Amino acid sequence: MNFMAFEYWTDGWREGSLMPNDEGLRRCKCGQYVLVKDMVAVDTADTSELPYMDHVPDDLLSECIAMATSEEIEVAARLGHWRHLNHPYRQQYRQHRDAEEAATKAAWEAANPDRRTWWDKLRGRQAPSYSRPPGSPFTYPAFAPSDQQIQNMRRLSEILREWGVASRQRYTMELAELYRELGRFDESEQVILRLDEKEIDVTSTLITRLIKEKQAAPMRYMM
């Protein structure tokens, strides 16, 4: 599987990813919601009256949550809803970071003007090349989740916490991130500390740092 993307976020969203972000959730033409992993493979045929399974659009995730026939389907829908509701913050984050980076670059260029003479240019001397100065400001907008976001994150974290007790550890990172975005940093730290050494990666390291800094905002990073 190719998980390359343009952006990675601590809530698991991958911008421009070749792989879907939908947890395998599908909607049947009959209106029922299912998971790909629960579907049964059948032999191919020239014709079939089996209904086609669509990806679930964001605006139907609330309906899917209300109609969920299992916790697995509810979790898949709530994970998608969580990431969807974080999208407006992502846009604020991008705009804020772009503006700050542009200001940093402009200040650097003002302090490092191109003073080459025509002779320098003729000899092929290169103009000053910008690189982000060490210690440059790195800020991001405040994260203020709505009541809808909080309710969804609380319910999702409750289910995943119970799954953790039952040794279903697949969503350990997501649970730690949910607690962090809810501002429950101590609980988030307790969860992240349960990761095995082989599970520690760029994402878990960043989440751990943000927990220590008491920062709740979803964060963008590069792999």
Side-chain angles (χ1 to χ4, degrees):
M1 293 185 181
N2 190 334
F3 289 99
M4 292 184 65
F6 298 128
E7 295 178 353
Y8 299 86
W9 290 79
T10 48
D11 64 358
W13 178 257
R14 301 182 304 277
E15 186 72 21
S17 174
L18 296 175
M19 297 297 296
N21 288 270
D22 62 7
E23 305 296 326
L25 189 63
R26 297 290 184 272
R27 184 176 186 271
C28 177
K29 292 297 185 183
C30 67
Q32 295 298 310
Y33 294 93
V34 299
L35 294 172
V36 170
K37 71 179 184 65
D38 295 332
M39 298 171 67
V40 178
V42 298
D43 291 337
T44 58
D46 293 332
T47 60
S48 173
E49 296 184 7
L50 291 174
Y52 178 75
M53 295 290 181
D54 287 323
H55 290 265
V56 181
D58 293 333
D59 59 358
L60 289 182
L61 289 171
S62 294
E63 176 186 280
C64 180
I65 291 168
M67 293 178 59
T69 56
S70 69
E71 279 193 346
E72 286 79 5
I73 291 176
E74 182 180 354
V75 164
R78 287 191 181 278
L79 284 167
H81 200 41
W82 171 35
R83 292 160 183 156
H84 169 64
L85 293 176
N86 275 343
H87 286 346
Y89 178 81
R90 293 186 224 284
Q91 188 57 30
Q92 294 176 30
Y93 180 101
R94 293 182 188 110
Q95 292 172 352
H96 182 99
R97 293 296 317 126
D98 288 348
E100 187 168 75
E101 286 301 302
T104 297
K105 184 176 182 180
W108 183 93
E109 289 175 341
N112 298 271
D114 184 358
R115 294 192 173 94
R116 293 176 300 164
T117 65
W118 69 270
W119 180 245
D120 291 329
K121 295 176 182 179
L122 185 63
R123 296 176 60 188
R125 182 180 174 186
Q126 298 298 309
S129 178
Y130 172 77
S131 60
R132 195 171 190 274
S136 298
F138 185 97
T139 62
Y140 38 89
F143 179 58
S146 65
D147 289 342
Q148 184 183 20
Q149 287 176 282
I150 291 171
Q151 291 172 10
N152 184 62
M153 289 192 288
R154 283 177 176 169
R155 172 57 182 163
L156 181 54
S157 62
E158 287 171 2
I159 299 174
L160 297 185
R161 181 186 61 214
E162 293 302 317
W163 282 13
V165 172
S167 298
R168 286 193 277 187
Q169 299 293 331
R170 178 182 171 191
Y171 294 107
T172 301
M173 196 85 74
E174 286 83 353
L175 180 57
E177 176 67 4
L178 284 163
Y179 281 147
R180 188 182 70 82
E181 291 186 23
L182 286 166
R184 295 159 62 175
F185 300 109
D186 290 342
E187 291 166 278
S188 181
E189 184 175 35
Q190 290 173 12
V191 173
I192 208 82
L193 288 174
R194 295 206 299 260
L195 290 174
D196 294 331
E197 185 175 346
K198 64 182 179 180
E199 296 177 291
I200 296 174
D201 57 10
V202 174
T203 310
S204 63
T205 300
L206 175 56
I207 291 174
T208 300
R209 194 195 82 198
L210 294 169
I211 292 169
K212 295 183 184 303
E213 294 174 356
K214 299 294 189 286
Q215 296 290 348
M219 195 65 62
R220 181 181 66 181
Y221 62 97
M222 303 301 292
M223 296 290 280

